[in-house]
Amino acid sequence: MSGLCLHNRRVVTCLHLLLIAVHLTPGASLASNRYQFADFQMGTLFRIVLYAADERQAVGASRAAFARIEELDRVLSDYRPDSELNQVLQAVEAPLAVSPELFQLLDQAQEMSRKTGGAFDVTAGPLVGLWREGRRRGRIPAPDEIATARQRSGYRLLRLDAAARSVRLDRSGMRLDLGAVAKGYAADQALQVLAEHGLRRALIDAGGDVRLGEAPPGRPGWSVTLKTNNGDQTLLLANQAVATSGDDLQFLEVGGKRYSHILDPRSGWALTDHRLVTVIAPDALTADAWATALSVLEPEAGLKLVADLPHFAARIELRSKGETLTSPGWP
Ligand code: AMP
Ligand code: MG
């Protein structure tokens, strides 16, 4: 394929439910026709590229994959009032049993919070909401608003009981936000659905968080192009994932300063150092989670944390300083 632009996250809402087979490689053998599909889901454009024997197989498998993403959105969305995630908000001081899938994701998120000392935190929902409103109104939240939201955030206030598979919140006014991992997880799940349909040579692009299956026929991997300040870098990847976090599209600009949609839950403030973080990992959930975490952590400390993770590489571009740091395994 010609390469994916990871920064092209701008989406057009009228693409809703666009389901198209756009490319049939001319003269390719039956088992290696290339198909591409797109659908607007989870507030972003999901793309599926796959190789299949025929169009019927390709369309059937991609429909099932998109249906799985939609199902996940109904569980994980913080925007949908009726999502399972938002039902958990009723669990103030009273445990609520949740689905195995939601429990597992919250458990993994808590593990990330412990590892990162709270730099990654899915209980930062009140702060995320406050800064989201700030972006809408073009203003920085007031210090007392930030203080109130901070009191309602903190991963230690989220209690998980594995035996009962239940969740409990220690304070009222808490909100959970899986925005830092949901797209990556959805990409992993969509790839799994395609595999269940017998299609393993596939790629899922969840608005810039990309999960890759087996390589295209006759190729060593999928070409994924990263657009960096130092020019393009093309990665050749298979059976892996790559995720990028940055403030390119969602930010607030006040007084010449850019406030990211990613915030430091420890201070309550949106990030201002204009970073671009890319993570390669075995799966998209992990890549997505660490791309967000490495946006918040002090860069060297963050890279030290990930240095021991197997099959893992990271790149941190500090655009306000014009510096780039990479982990030892970075290609
Ligand atoms: P991503 O684009 O994957 O880096 O995720 C960013 C989204 O995650 C934001 O839009 C928020 O919804 C949420 N978020 C922001 N800051 C954090 C944080 N420090 N930890 C966890 N989630 C966050
Ligand atoms: Mg992320």
Side-chain angles (χ1 to χ4, degrees):
M1 60 177 274
S2 58
L4 263 176
C5 175
L6 288 187
H7 297 257
N8 191 6
R9 288 190 176 200
R10 228 173 283 270
V11 287
V12 185
T13 46
C14 63
L15 283 168
H16 189 60
L17 285 182
L18 183 71
L19 194 68
I20 38 164
V22 293
H23 187 142
L24 257 165
T25 308
S29 75
L30 263 186
S32 63
N33 290 324
R34 180 182 186 275
Y35 298 88
Q36 181 167 304
F37 304 89
D39 195 3
F40 192 74
Q41 299 240 16
M42 292 187 162
T44 198
L45 187 70
F46 273 75
R47 285 197 322 127
I48 295 178
V49 183
L50 56 81
Y51 288 82
D54 56 43
E55 185 162 342
R56 201 180 50 84
Q57 188 189 24
V59 169
S62 63
R63 281 216 172 114
F66 284 130
R68 175 76 178 117
I69 297 167
E70 202 178 338
E71 176 185 83
L72 281 174
D73 192 48
R74 283 197 293 271
V75 176
L76 308 177
S77 171
D78 58 301
Y79 285 93
R80 292 177 182 239
D82 58 343
S83 69
E84 190 185 4
L85 184 75
N86 281 336
Q87 301 312 306
V88 170
L89 304 181
Q90 295 163 9
V92 181
E93 292 175 22
L96 186 79
V98 298
S99 64
E101 186 150 52
L102 181 58
F103 189 88
Q104 196 200 328
L105 264 180
L106 289 174
D107 197 39
Q108 283 176 266
Q110 289 293 77
E111 182 63 28
M112 277 295 292
S113 294
R114 283 190 288 271
K115 277 189 188 154
T116 62
F120 177 95
D121 191 340
V122 295
T123 73
L127 289 161
V128 171
L130 192 57
W131 283 93
R132 214 178 259 165
E133 194 193 319
R135 283 199 298 283
R136 250 195 323 265
R137 295 195 186 177
R139 67 167 188 95
I140 295 171
D144 63 317
E145 293 174 310
I146 294 179
T148 304
R150 275 185 72 196
Q151 279 168 7
R152 296 172 175 166
S153 308
Y155 69 96
R156 291 187 184 88
L157 302 174
L158 171 67
R159 313 276 182 172
L160 301 181
D161 180 340
R165 216 206 303 129
S166 69
V167 179
R168 199 190 82 194
L169 306 177
D170 275 359
R171 287 203 192 137
S172 61
M174 288 177 71
R175 294 200 66 85
L176 303 176
D177 181 342
L178 292 172
V181 288
K183 291 187 184 75
Y185 182 66
D188 288 337
Q189 290 295 305
L191 191 79
Q192 193 177 314
V193 169
L194 296 181
E196 284 158 11
H197 282 72
L199 303 181
R200 295 179 186 279
R201 298 185 190 279
L203 166 161
I204 316 284
D205 174 10
D209 296 335
V210 188
R211 177 67 200 261
L212 308 120
E214 286 175 15
R219 301 274 307 273
W222 298 87
S223 299
V224 177
T225 302
L226 285 180
K227 297 220 168 291
T228 75
N229 267 5
N230 316 323
D232 290 359
Q233 181 179 4
T234 298
L235 309 170
L236 206 57
L237 303 170
N239 298 311
Q240 276 166 305
V242 57
T244 299
S245 280
D247 57 8
D248 276 356
L249 292 178
Q250 292 190 61
F251 60 85
L252 163 72
E253 209 153 73
V254 176
K257 216 171 187 176
R258 183 185 278 225
Y259 296 85
S260 172
H261 65 124
I262 303 171
L263 52 88
D264 187 340
R266 301 164 301 183
S267 68
W269 277 78
L271 303 177
T272 55
D273 64 354
H274 198 26
R275 270 187 221 186
L276 181 76
V277 177
T278 305
V279 172
I280 299 172
D283 62 83
L285 168 63
T286 317
D288 195 2
W290 278 103
T292 307
L294 292 181
S295 300
V296 183
L297 287 161
E298 192 271 319
E300 279 89 359
L303 287 177
K304 223 171 166 177
L305 272 182
V306 303
D308 295 336
L309 299 176
H311 310 295
F312 201 98
R315 176 185 188 278
I316 303 177
E317 189 170 304
L318 302 161
R319 287 188 283 183
S320 47
K321 283 194 189 163
E323 283 174 19
T324 298
L325 304 174
T326 55
S327 72
W330 183 260

